[in-house]
Amino acid sequence: RLSERTAVFEPSIPAYDDNFNYDFMVALVLLGYWALLARRLYRLPHAPTAARLRRSSRRLAIAALVGALFVPARLVTSLVLYGYGWHFAADRLLIGVPLVALPTLATLLVTVPALHRLGRPSPDDAEEVAAPPASRAAAAPRVSFPARAVAVGGLVSFVMILFAPAPPLLAPALVSYGVVAPVLVVIWRRHADRVRDGVVRPLPRGAARARRVAVATAAVLVLVGGYAGWDWQTSKLPDDYRMTEQAMTYGTGPGPVDHSAHSHGAGLPDRPLTQFTGPAGKPDKRFTLVATDARLRLSSGATVDATAFNGQIPGPELRVRQGDLVEVTLVNRTTDTPTTVHWHGLDVPNAEDGVAGLTQDAVPPGGSHVYRWRAGQVGTYWYHSHQASSTQVRRGLFGPLVIDPAPPAPAGVREFVVAAHVFDTDKGDTSTLNAADTLRRESVPPGTPVRIRLINADNFRKYFTLAGTPFKVTAVDGGPVNAPTDLYRTKLMLGGGGRYDLEFTMPSAPVRLTDLAAVGAGLLLSPDGQGELAPLTDGPEFDATRYGSPAATPFGPDSDFDRSFDLVLDNRPGFYDGQPYYLWTINGHVSPHVPMLMVREGELVKVTISNRSFLEHPMHLHGHHVLVLSRNGHRATGSPLWLDTVTLLSGESYELAFRADNPGLWMDHCHNLKHAAMGMTMHLGYEGISTPFHAGRATGNTSD
Ligand code: C2O
Ligand code: CU
């Protein structure tokens, strides 16, 4: 009964990382096993006696049969990954498994029968030395070569797991087969040429052997070093570039969208994004945000070297009414921190989006910039710097933004806007709610309607609980939930950048909001501001895709999409801007080399995102809200879910849709801002629109 009412989704997804690791282990053991087996087979002709040669042949035949089982094992581990979606297994099923399956098949068809013949008992068994006919037969390439091919295929297949090829898989397929083919030709030559004057050539020994090892090692070092050096050099970011310059046409749709750097696509006139500004006229609301250097003292006493808007962290709450024309002046009074303001979750005109190097230049110390936009949405949003955002947001340049509905909201609602954030303090990383890291108490009379506007201003997902009362989630990312139902003792996962509105009627006993990363902190509401209530530390997990009731949407899973894109989020070793990292990639690339999503104004667009990496990624698209069509292959069945930040846990996949109705050049990035700063950033571009702004060291603009 309870779980029926709480829209539970558990477990979020069965241990993707475990299943990935099983596949990894099978691939690794397969490689080791076949490398050893290939070596034994190659040495078979050099058995000291004919009897030993026969015995070894029989054993090696069995070893090959056993080794063949690795192929079905790898197929099973790949199919388990396929259970998470096609992109979790495509590289394995199309490249990795065939690379070992084909030579394994050759081993079974050719090597095993040959070994069987070699292993037959014979009167020669009494002889001391393996007779040339027997050893010659054992030196035939059919005995040793297929196993060596399995080992080579196994090596490439294993390395492929590490480098995680993403769709389209043609290039990785060509590289894999392109590496394997010439290597096998060289190996074949050696295996086919072992008998001289009727005698098997001796194995190289002493200096000859040392030379071979040295040559092989040098070749590997040159190859690996050459690749790493090339990657290192080409990863360096140019000092001055356009964020969208290196984009390509991409995806499926009605013919490619033209995107030359200063695009005149399809005969469209070039439109610089600077023309997409907010409306003119007298603003209904005016605000000034003054950025300054600051020193923040948390409620525990821990201190933070910070940067603040109007001397507050979080910055002042900007509260406007739907329909208001809002004008915000950013004034930079820091000593050395160029900055901007981005309106997270607001679908503002492109030139007002606040992205340094894309929609404007960073505002230098002493400078100012005016933003104007009409509040078309309602709900809970936030604003933050979009210049060097991974450092500036972390240091405090963010604040809440609330848009009230146009007709006056029912009076008497007690509101708490709560922004969760982690600060680097003198006492280490500290989780806070509104910069408080200790319990905050508030008194609320029983019977009062209460709304908590929860903002995750941190990089990582957070789990929240509300103890002491049933509650409803009435909005997600600002968008209202249709027909929300009561939740009891439910755990709410909120990804970085995301928001939930929670509503309940104040009971006569305490209610406690807890961020599970800091159970001692939190918000305790009680009739008299006193009292105690233990934090709720666990519970079934909320699933927004199954919560509330369906309602009409302008498009849905069965619509005809004009364009669709596939994005795979992953990890691989590599360099970013000349530094070695375990990279966070989108389709194998890091910014600014991630192909841009190119659309035409008015198109209906579908985006499928799969997260193959081991961490969650809150993917945030600027300027648009996406409708969630499905999660992990299951259609969304609850209230229509419109998100600006979609958090994909490890192993998850989402199908999303949006209407390309806000022309411009828009960021689409992981809102773990550290990931974004290390390349997990791409763009959505409308055909025919260009930016006059440049990014890169020489320009002072760096969005992430
Ligand atoms: Cu809240 Cu591009 O960011
Ligand atoms: Cu990320």
Side-chain angles (χ1 to χ4, degrees):
R1 179 91 195 104
L2 241 179
S3 66
E4 220 178 274
R5 294 163 71 179
T6 49
V8 193
F9 184 84
E10 290 201 298
S12 48
I13 188 131
Y16 168 74
D17 48 353
D18 286 348
N19 287 323
F20 179 96
N21 286 332
Y22 297 143
D23 183 61
F24 180 91
M25 290 310 296
V26 172
L28 183 61
V29 178
L30 179 154
L31 169 59
Y33 186 98
W34 281 91
L36 268 172
L37 183 57
R39 182 183 156 88
R40 298 283 303 273
L41 285 165
Y42 189 76
R43 294 172 162 248
L44 183 61
H46 303 284
T49 67
R52 285 277 288 278
L53 194 151
R54 286 178 209 296
R55 208 171 346 123
S56 296
S57 300
R58 289 196 291 272
R59 286 193 184 149
L60 290 172
I62 292 170
L65 289 171
V66 171
L69 294 175
F70 280 110
V71 171
R74 190 79 210 284
L75 194 61
V76 167
T77 55
S78 300
L79 287 173
V80 168
L81 294 177
Y82 175 72
Y84 295 85
W86 170 241
H87 291 303
F88 293 83
D91 56 336
R92 286 150 174 92
L93 294 174
L94 296 180
I95 312 173
V97 175
L99 274 177
V100 291
L102 297 174
T104 301
L105 194 65
T107 310
L108 292 178
L109 294 177
V110 178
T111 305
V112 171
L115 289 172
H116 181 71
R117 281 194 294 280
L118 284 168
R120 262 188 227 133
S122 132
D124 309 344
D125 276 8
E127 287 170 26
E128 269 296 289
V129 185
S135 62
R136 270 206 307 270
R142 75 172 80 88
V143 173
S144 53
F145 178 75
R148 195 55 63 97
V150 179
V152 171
L155 178 61
V156 173
S157 176
F158 176 71
V159 170
M160 225 181 66
I161 297 180
L162 299 179
F163 282 87
L169 288 173
L170 188 64
L174 290 178
V175 169
S176 307
Y177 289 105
V179 165
V180 167
V183 168
L184 289 188
V185 168
V186 171
I187 292 177
W188 172 266
R189 287 245 187 87
R190 227 177 70 183
H191 287 228
D193 183 28
R194 299 179 68 187
V195 182
R196 193 144 296 165
D197 303 328
V199 180
V200 180
R201 278 197 299 187
L203 293 169
R205 285 192 195 287
R209 188 182 148 76
R211 205 177 317 124
R212 288 180 72 124
V213 171
V215 168
T217 314
V220 168
L221 285 180
V222 165
L223 268 173
V224 172
Y227 169 77
W230 169 83
D231 192 23
W232 173 46
Q233 284 306 318
T234 54
S235 78
K236 291 192 176 155
L237 296 178
D239 286 337
D240 183 333
Y241 63 98
R242 307 236 176 174
M243 281 193 196
T244 52
E245 178 167 57
Q246 289 163 50
M248 321 186 301
T249 56
Y250 186 78
T252 60
V257 170
D258 180 47
H259 183 81
S260 31
H262 314 288
S263 174
H264 307 281
L268 290 173
D270 175 35
R271 291 187 291 171
L273 61 79
T274 41
Q275 57 181 243
F276 300 99
T277 53
K282 184 176 149 8
D284 301 294
K285 292 260 169 47
R286 269 207 176 95
F287 300 97
T288 304
L289 291 174
V290 183
T292 57
D293 303 321
R295 195 158 178 78
L296 169 68
R297 180 177 285 273
L298 302 181
S299 53
S300 69
T303 57
V304 185
D305 271 327
T307 319
F309 285 124
N310 297 7
Q312 292 168 242
I313 296 177
E317 177 181 309
L318 307 185
R319 196 176 270 263
V320 303
R321 223 169 255 301
Q322 188 177 26
D324 279 354
L325 177 58
V326 180
E327 183 180 290
V328 185
T329 306
L330 165 66
V331 179
N332 189 344
R333 292 219 187 102
T334 63
T335 49
D336 57 2
T337 309
T339 193
T340 67
V341 187
H342 165 64
W343 317 100
H344 183 116
L346 287 194
D347 301 334
V348 299
N350 198 206
E352 312 292 347
D353 201 39
V355 179
L358 182 65
T359 65
Q360 69 172 97
D361 282 324
V363 179
S368 66
H369 186 93
V370 177
Y371 298 91
R372 292 169 65 91
W373 38 264
R374 194 173 295 286
Q377 300 151 269
V378 236
T380 309
Y381 300 89
W382 61 302
Y383 61 88
H384 61 77
S385 160
H386 224 304
Q387 156 79 3
S389 57
S390 61
T391 15
Q392 294 195 4
V393 176
R394 181 78 166 185
R395 286 166 62 95
L397 281 182
F398 67 90
L401 169 57
V402 177
I403 306 177
D404 286 320
V413 177
R414 185 75 188 274
E415 287 214 353
F416 297 91
V417 181
V418 176
H421 192 70
V422 175
F423 289 97
D424 301 319
T425 75
D426 56 346
K427 303 204 171 82
D429 285 3
T430 308
S431 294
T432 64
L433 297 180
N434 290 345
D437 55 346
T438 55
L439 188 65
R440 166 183 161 205
R441 292 167 182 280
E442 294 284 345
S443 72
V444 179
T448 311
V450 178
R451 180 183 296 126
I452 297 180
R453 298 180 183 270
L454 212 47
I455 302 168
N456 185 354
D458 187 40
N459 285 334
F460 289 96
R461 72 184 190 271
K462 296 198 157 288
Y463 289 93
F464 293 98
T465 58
L466 193 63
T469 178
F471 63 97
K472 294 182 168 77
V473 174
T474 53
V476 181
D477 278 6
V481 172
N482 182 45
T485 49
D486 274 337
L487 297 168
Y488 300 83
R489 304 182 65 82
T490 305
K491 194 166 72 178
L492 301 166
M493 189 276 283
L494 187 57
R499 286 91 58 214
Y500 285 135
D501 289 5
L502 316 181
E503 291 186 23
F504 56 90
T505 303
M506 185 64 198
S508 51
V511 168
R512 181 166 182 168
L513 175 74
T514 303
D515 165 2
L516 295 190
V519 284
L523 175 64
L524 190 109
L525 309 180
S526 61
D528 55 358
Q530 303 298 311
E532 294 296 338
L533 180 62
L536 180 64
T537 52
D538 207 0
E541 204 173 307
F542 175 68
D543 177 5
T545 67
R546 297 195 206 170
Y547 181 67
S549 301
T553 49
F555 44 83
D558 303 316
S559 300
D560 285 330
F561 292 95
D562 298 308
R563 211 168 278 283
S564 53
F565 299 102
D566 251 331
L567 304 180
V568 173
L569 313 177
D570 213 331
N571 272 151
R572 71 176 165 80
F575 289 85
Y576 189 71
D577 200 12
Q579 296 286 320
Y581 287 109
Y582 210 51
L583 299 174
W584 303 105
T585 59
I586 304 176
N587 287 0
H589 301 280
V590 284
S591 67
H593 309 294
V594 188
M596 179 158 63
L597 308 178
M598 285 302 301
V599 298
R600 288 181 185 154
E601 192 172 348
E603 283 180 338
L604 187 58
V605 183
K606 180 169 163 181
V607 182
T608 306
I609 313 184
S610 311
N611 179 9
R612 297 198 306 203
S613 75
F614 284 2
L615 258 193
E616 90 266 16
H617 300 290
M619 296 305 292
H620 171 49
L621 172 61
H622 287 210
H624 302 74
H625 276 72
V626 297
L627 177 66
V628 175
L629 305 177
S630 75
R631 176 195 187 200
N632 304 334
H634 302 290
R635 276 196 183 182
T637 54
S639 161
L641 192 57
W642 296 91
L643 303 180
D644 50 62
T645 313
V646 182
T647 297
L648 293 101
L649 303 182
S650 178
E652 285 202 315
S653 57
Y654 274 78
E655 286 180 298
L656 310 166
F658 68 90
R659 175 73 68 187
D661 57 4
N662 196 3
L665 297 171
W666 301 98
M667 290 202 90
D668 186 1
H669 63 95
C670 180
H671 220 284
N672 183 323
L673 297 171
K674 291 223 167 98
H675 295 180
M678 281 170 47
M680 205 170 216
T681 295
M682 64 185 307
H683 298 87
L684 165 70
Y686 282 64
E687 185 177 37
I689 294 179
S690 63
T691 175
F693 300 105
H694 294 227
R697 275 175 216 97
T699 69
N701 289 327
T702 162
S703 65
D704 349 272

